[in-house]
Structure formats: structure tokens, C-alpha cells
Amino acid sequence: TGSTPGGGQGASIGVDNPQGLASSSVNGTPSDGNNWQIDGVSNNEAFFSILTVNPSIDAIQEFKVSTSNYSAEFGKAGGANVQISIKSGSNQFHGVGFEFLRNNVLDANGFFDNKVGATIPAFRQNQFGGNLGGPVLKNRTFFFADYEGYRSSQGESETMTIPTSLQRQGVFTETNPVSGAAQNLVYS
């Protein structure tokens, strides 16, 4: 079994991976060869065969991965059958809140940014949420709810050469402003 854990973010978003989920290969099948179930109900998107509902990690009570010798009720896939059980309420109130923060304050600057004296690009990433469960009617009816949010804003730095006004007129006699060397070669 080869798998990349991610739960939400872990791979590049693309045509074959619209959610950006980390992919897993089980028994030599591609990631769309897996069968996903939440509380016994199919959780497979029909076209891409990926998760339809991506539950918060804090909302999962347990999960079971079967890779072979599973019963007929778990057919449909040659790879893994993944059964996820969601938490439920109880006679006592239980809840949790979380916040994962990442920003540029703890990041290092890139080599080329340092060379030209550029600042560290802005970066803010927040993954936050919580859940709450408890009784509606004691010993009879319970509730459980969860929420997970993800916000990301990332700046980029790029080193570019912008032509001077003389270069835009076709005169290439100036020196390079960074190195001071003559700019006698023109690349098109």
C-alpha cells in the first residue's frame, strides 16, 4: 500500500484531482480504484471516484481500510475499501476547537530574494474548526455537528528583467543595474 496522508490538502489540484486530495494506490490500482464509505453509505464521486464528502479529522470516530478478502457488500473496487465512522452525540456535551496557523513570520527567504534584497513574500494559512455533540433528549436523541475552514493567501516573488527606456528604443549600450556588466547580449 502506498499512500500520502493529507485529509484535505496534499496534492496539486488538476483536471483529474479537482479537490487537491493526496492520492493513494492500493493493490497496484490507481487512486480511483478505491471505494469510500461514510457510516455505511457510498461516498464516491461518480466521475473521478474520489471522496464526495471530505470529513474533518476531528469528526472521525474510526476508520477501517480493507485491502483484500472483503465481503460482497464492499465490492466495487479492486483497491482499498475504506469505511469511515463519524462521531455521534452522547448524554454529555463534548466538543473541541482547533486552529492551525502558518505564516511568513516563521518562513525563510529564498536565495534569489536574499540576493536582490527582497522581503519574504506574504503568506497566511489558517485551518480551523471545531465540533460539538450532546443530548437532545437524554438517553434517546443525540446530535453531533462539526465545521472545518481553510483560508490561504500566498504572495510570490519573481526576479525579472524589465527593459529600460533606451532598451525599448533598441539601444543596448547601458550596463546591467544588478551586476554592472555591459549588456551586449540580447535574448529574444
Side-chain angles (χ1 to χ4, degrees):
T1 302
S3 179
T4 306
Q9 293 71 32
S12 298
I13 294 174
V15 175
D16 292 331
N17 193 5
Q19 293 177 327
L21 297 174
S23 62
S24 58
S25 175
V26 179
N27 296 337
T29 64
S31 58
D32 63 357
N34 299 325
N35 182 31
W36 301 88
Q37 294 186 339
I38 293 182
D39 291 333
V41 178
S42 177
N43 187 32
N44 298 290
E45 192 274 333
F47 187 76
F48 294 105
S49 275
I50 57 176
L51 289 169
T52 302
V53 176
N54 192 8
S56 172
I57 291 177
D58 274 344
I60 296 174
Q61 177 70 35
E62 65 178 299
F63 68 93
K64 179 180 177 185
V65 179
S66 303
T67 60
S68 62
N69 201 22
Y70 31 79
S71 64
E73 68 181 304
F74 301 118
K76 180 181 178 349
N81 280 290
V82 182
Q83 296 100 41
I84 300 170
S85 297
I86 301 297
K87 292 178 181 176
S88 64
S90 64
N91 278 326
Q92 295 179 339
F93 286 100
H94 293 280
V96 66
F98 63 90
E99 163 78 22
F100 300 107
L101 168 70
R102 215 182 126 197
N103 62 34
N104 57 297
V105 174
L106 301 174
D107 287 349
N109 209 355
F111 173 80
F112 294 106
D113 291 339
N114 275 337
K115 187 172 182 176
V116 297
T119 60
I120 298 172
F123 180 54
R124 305 280 184 278
Q125 180 174 302
N126 297 74
Q127 190 171 358
F128 55 92
N131 63 52
L132 180 66
V136 175
L137 296 172
K138 191 169 179 130
N139 294 327
R140 297 186 60 98
T141 308
F142 310 99
F143 77 93
F144 179 81
D146 80 292
Y147 174 78
E148 182 172 337
Y150 177 79
R151 309 288 185 271
S152 182
S153 172
Q154 185 171 5
E156 295 182 19
S157 63
E158 188 170 335
T159 304
M160 301 175 68
T161 302
I162 300 172
T164 65
S165 58
L166 285 174
Q167 289 173 337
R168 283 185 235 142
Q169 296 171 18
V171 179
F172 297 97
T173 58
E174 297 176 297
T175 59
N176 184 314
V178 176
S179 67
Q183 296 182 356
N184 53 3
L185 296 175
V186 177
Y187 300 98
S188 56

